[in-house]
Amino acid sequence: MKMKAIPLLLAGLLAAPSFAHAQVERVTVTAEQKKAAEEKLKTTFSQIQVTGFEPSYVPGVFELTTGNNTYYFYPGSNGQDGVLIFGEMYDAQGNNLTQVAREKRLDKAMATLPMDSALLVGNKTGSVEFYEITDPECPYCERYDTWVKQQPFANQLKRKIIFLMNNGHPGERREVEHIICSDDKNKALDDAFKNTPDNPVITDWKTCPEAEAVIAEHQKIVQAVGAQGTPAFIINGKMVTGFSEAQILDAIKINDASVNMQGTK
């Protein structure tokens, strides 16, 4: 079938009078209807790797997940092609239903993942904790690391590190193992960011039997939460992608309203 994809903001649909005074709920469909729609999606957009598929809040429209992205699909009728819809759904009160769905999926995924395999850096008893998906050979990760350590609230942060293994960074595997196997993980991470062939900061490389299992668990987490690049962050159940100072600061403040951004509580 001919492929169609249109960008569409669905706020108008959900602002209709029928939604104005009632909580918006997902449409109920039969298993057969869901299966038929999913098969139509696979036929029309065969290149999409779908990781989740369920009814949306609009009759006839389904919500699909691919990685950390959420789209919508209308399967068409009477032999028409299906339509892929890009955009977000809002209810009449301005609530972002698409974002809520993302957060619920993330919470559900994290509940079954080995999140305790993350490495702790920063203040291990800090009042604000979140996950960082990083790569010691990623320049933006290094810039973030330098920036966050300079923030006035840095001593309040309990950072949980998860490594995304990048096949394009051949030196990463050795650096990640060094960090995992080091007693002082703060220093090891800092050294790994600074280490280059022209500036060999690390000379005593650490290895240990448990590194392989930790790396495998981290890749399982990365795939399940849909992280496709670094740096990425999971803060208060929300995924923040890329090094955006504004987004990170906003997420940290939401995560713990008692954090004083001037560095005191």
Side-chain angles (χ1 to χ4, degrees), residues 2 22 37 39 56 58 60-61 70 101 108 124 146 162 168 176 190 199 208 218:
K2 184 178 179 180
E39 290 297 326
S56 75
V58 176
V61 177
T70 300
K108 184 177 180 180
K124 293 185 178 181
T146 300
I162 297 167
V176 167
D190 187 57
N199 181 35
C208 55
H218 284 196

Side-chain angles (χ1 to χ4, degrees), residues 29 33-34 37 53-56 60-64 71-73 75:
V29 300
Q33 289 173 322
K34 179 181 176 182
F53 190 83
E54 59 184 316
S56 75
V61 177
F62 290 80
E63 179 182 283
L64 67 101
Y71 306 119
Y72 296 95
F73 176 68

Side-chain angles (χ1 to χ4, degrees), residues 52-260:
F53 190 83
E54 59 184 316
S56 75
Y57 302 90
V58 176
V61 177
F62 290 80
E63 179 182 283
L64 67 101
T65 306
T66 171
N68 192 42
N69 299 312
T70 300
Y71 306 119
Y72 296 95
F73 176 68
Y74 174 67
S77 60
N78 301 321
Q80 294 179 335
D81 288 346
V83 176
L84 191 62
I85 304 169
F86 296 83
E88 301 196 340
M89 291 189 178
Y90 292 80
D91 64 13
Q93 288 71 46
N95 298 310
N96 188 330
L97 302 176
T98 305
Q99 182 61 32
V100 170
R102 288 193 193 103
E103 292 171 9
K104 286 183 177 179
R105 282 195 301 272
L106 185 58
D107 287 343
K108 184 177 180 180
M110 289 175 64
T112 62
L113 291 169
M115 304 304 295
D116 58 353
S117 66
L119 308 185
L120 297 182
V121 300
N123 183 352
K124 293 185 178 181
T125 61
S127 59
V128 181
E129 60 182 74
F130 53 86
Y131 294 92
E132 301 176 13
I133 300 174
T134 190
D135 167 359
E137 293 199 351
C138 159
Y140 293 103
C141 300
E142 181 180 7
R143 292 177 193 174
Y144 158 76
D145 185 73
T146 300
W147 169 81
V148 79
K149 289 175 180 176
Q150 295 171 347
Q151 299 309 301
F153 52 87
N155 63 350
Q156 302 175 46
L157 301 182
K158 181 179 180 179
R159 301 164 57 192
K160 299 183 175 183
I161 304 298
I162 297 167
F163 293 109
L164 183 155
M165 304 306 293
N166 186 332
N167 291 332
H169 295 164
E172 181 191 6
R173 174 63 175 75
R174 190 183 188 192
E175 291 172 340
V176 167
E177 181 170 6
H178 173 76
I179 298 166
I180 294 170
C181 303
S182 295
D183 293 331
D184 187 346
K185 291 178 173 49
N186 285 282
K187 183 179 185 304
L189 181 64
D190 187 57
D191 287 347
F193 278 130
K194 296 176 180 176
N195 191 73
T196 66
D198 296 329
N199 181 35
V201 174
I202 303 173
T203 56
D204 181 18
W205 291 91
K206 304 297 184 184
T207 61
C208 55
E210 61 269 24
E212 195 64 40
V214 173
I215 291 172
E217 289 181 331
H218 284 196
Q219 301 329 291
K220 182 178 180 180
I221 294 170
V222 166
Q223 293 174 12
V225 302
Q228 299 175 330
T230 55
F233 309 87
I234 302 175
I235 307 175
N236 195 30
K238 295 181 174 65
M239 178 76 80
V240 177
T241 303
F243 175 28
S244 167
E245 296 179 14
Q247 290 187 47
I248 294 169
L249 289 173
D250 184 59
I252 290 174
K253 287 187 289 185
I254 292 172
N255 183 50
D256 189 340
S258 65
V259 171
N260 185 319

